[in-house]
Amino acid sequence: METMSRAPGKLMLLGEHAVVYGRKCIVTAVDAPVTVSLRSHEKFVINAPDLKISHEFTLSDPEYPKEVSFAATAVKMFNAKFALPSPVSITTKSLLSSERKVGLGSSASVTAAVMKALSNHFSIKLEKKELFDLCYKTILEVQKVGSGFDAAAAVFGGTLMYKKGQPMPIKSEGLDLTIGYTGMPAHTTEIVRKVAAQVDEQPGYYENIFDEIEKLVIMATKAIEEKDWASLGSLMNENQEFLREMQVPSEELGVSSEIIEKLINSALDAGAYGAKLSGAGVGDCIIAISPIERKNEVEEAIARAGGTIIDAKVNVPGAE
Ligand code: PMV
């Protein structure tokens, strides 16, 4: 018998970086899903046809190849908690082929889809919070750093206020964003480390920025619940200013960049309520929120400025 599962990708709405330092952020699940099919097998195998890899492994391997490390570690963590009755063969696929490059999909989607498939396959009932805890533990085991916001989006779906380890779903009906890819991948771990070095050097400066960002996050949560998109847009603009003020060595615009600023300005000039980078910064995507009647113009303006519009819904369901 084969068990299928899927988990969405994520987009940070507000609060990136600050969330690493214990502040709240807002994350939404994006329709950039990873699917998993899983069956019992005589050995542990992971097939990732997108990455042209098929890897046989054991639960005691000291490490796994990069391409399969999240899926294999997820199996290992699940086994440590529930003792698997048999080995499994897993096939993972990303439904949006460019997903990895644009930063919407995540290792967290793979992790959540594998965990969900394992729990269904072996009829082990898991509450969402338990599933999330297992996913976050897996992510930390593999990449050492990260707030876990991506695991929260992959497991819970929808839109969440999130503080490290604590997902809090919010009422977010009607949320619609324009997503523009900068053409440059973001190197999340590297940027997070650079920011950490700066925080060590100037803790007062950064703690203040993070506190201010958290205030915006709290106001933005209310704006989302009230469908007050104009206020959400101006809070996004304010968050972007703080991201620009984060001083990172070798970057002149904080964790922003020239191309990010260009895409943001084109969206605002075309009538968006607000626009900002999403995620670690320097590359990956910008997000914009606009009045419905302006959405096409905003998309065209971002494309003219050199961005690629990513046609993916936000606020979609979590792992299922
Ligand atoms: O680059 P992304 O989309 O993976 O987002 C990273 C967000 C950070 O807050 C910078 C890091 C984190 O783990 O929360």
Side-chain angles (χ1 to χ4, degrees):
M1 192 192 67
E2 201 159 43
T3 306
M4 311 286 287
S5 69
R6 61 187 263 150
K10 47 76 183 144
L11 262 178
M12 185 70 95
L13 232 67
L14 281 96
E16 45 274 274
H17 292 291
V19 66
V20 177
Y21 298 86
R23 301 335 190 263
K24 297 183 177 97
C25 72
I26 302 177
V27 54
T28 189
V30 184
D31 196 17
V34 169
T35 63
V36 158
S37 61
L38 179 149
R39 59 191 166 83
S40 296
H41 194 59
E42 67 271 17
K43 289 189 170 134
F44 286 102
V45 183
I46 291 170
N47 306 298
D50 298 341
L51 307 173
K52 301 190 173 50
I53 188 166
S54 175
H55 181 72
E56 199 181 297
F57 66 105
T58 75
L59 297 178
S60 53
D61 291 355
E63 58 184 43
Y64 302 114
K66 207 165 95 247
E67 298 85 344
V68 300
S69 58
F70 287 93
T73 308
V75 176
K76 189 170 164 171
M77 292 291 188
F78 193 92
N79 179 68
K81 187 153 174 144
F82 299 109
L84 289 170
S86 77
V88 288
S89 164
I90 293 174
T91 301
T92 65
K93 277 202 185 111
S94 165
L95 293 194
L96 191 74
S97 60
S98 56
E99 165 262 327
R100 272 177 186 276
K101 283 181 271 158
V102 306
L104 295 180
S106 64
S107 340
S109 322
V110 178
T111 308
V114 168
M115 292 286 188
K116 187 75 187 167
L118 285 168
S119 69
N120 286 358
H121 190 74
F122 294 111
S123 305
I124 295 168
K125 180 112 188 67
L126 273 180
E127 295 299 326
K128 279 191 178 171
K129 180 64 167 60
E130 284 178 284
L131 184 62
F132 162 76
D133 287 342
L134 269 174
C135 291
Y136 187 23
K137 216 169 144 182
T138 302
I139 289 166
L140 283 181
E141 169 84 14
V142 179
Q143 71 186 23
K144 312 297 175 211
V145 294
S147 66
F149 80 105
D150 44 0
V155 170
F156 286 84
T159 301
L160 309 151
M161 188 199 256
Y162 177 79
K163 185 175 166 149
K164 245 187 197 171
Q166 297 171 37
M168 297 161 264
I170 56 184
K171 209 171 96 237
S172 50
E173 223 176 281
L175 177 68
D176 186 22
L177 300 173
T178 299
I179 309 167
Y181 180 54
T182 57
M184 300 208 334
H187 302 289
T188 301
T189 313
E190 192 186 314
I191 301 168
V192 168
R193 293 217 169 99
K194 278 188 182 174
V195 170
Q198 289 308 109
V199 175
D200 271 351
E201 245 175 60
Q202 310 180 61
Y205 178 79
Y206 275 90
E207 293 301 328
N208 180 48
I209 288 188
F210 296 150
D211 284 341
E212 293 302 317
I213 290 178
E214 186 174 55
K215 287 182 198 156
L216 301 177
V217 164
I218 291 164
M219 288 189 274
T221 303
K222 190 160 166 277
I224 292 170
E225 284 175 343
E226 291 173 355
K227 299 189 190 177
D228 180 355
W229 310 128
S231 297
L232 177 62
S234 53
L235 293 163
M236 284 163 58
N237 291 338
E238 284 186 59
N239 191 162
Q240 177 64 21
E241 277 175 37
F242 285 117
L243 291 164
R244 220 178 277 135
E245 280 168 25
M246 292 174 57
Q247 294 151 11
V248 185
S250 72
E251 305 294 343
E252 278 175 17
L253 296 160
V255 294
S256 190
S257 64
E258 244 171 70
I259 178 73
I260 288 175
E261 294 298 322
K262 194 170 168 203
L263 301 191
I264 288 174
N265 288 331
S266 69
L268 294 176
D269 290 347
Y273 291 131
K276 64 182 277 296
L277 66 84
S278 172
V282 188
D284 275 353
C285 290
I286 67 138
I287 49 174
I289 187 156
S290 343
I292 285 184
E293 67 279 9
R294 285 271 157 188
K295 201 168 177 218
N296 281 345
E297 273 109 320
V298 169
E299 284 184 6
E300 282 164 20
I302 294 174
R304 267 199 311 275
T308 305
I309 295 300
I310 308 292
D311 189 15
K313 271 212 268 187
V314 298
N315 206 22
V316 299
E320 55 196 358

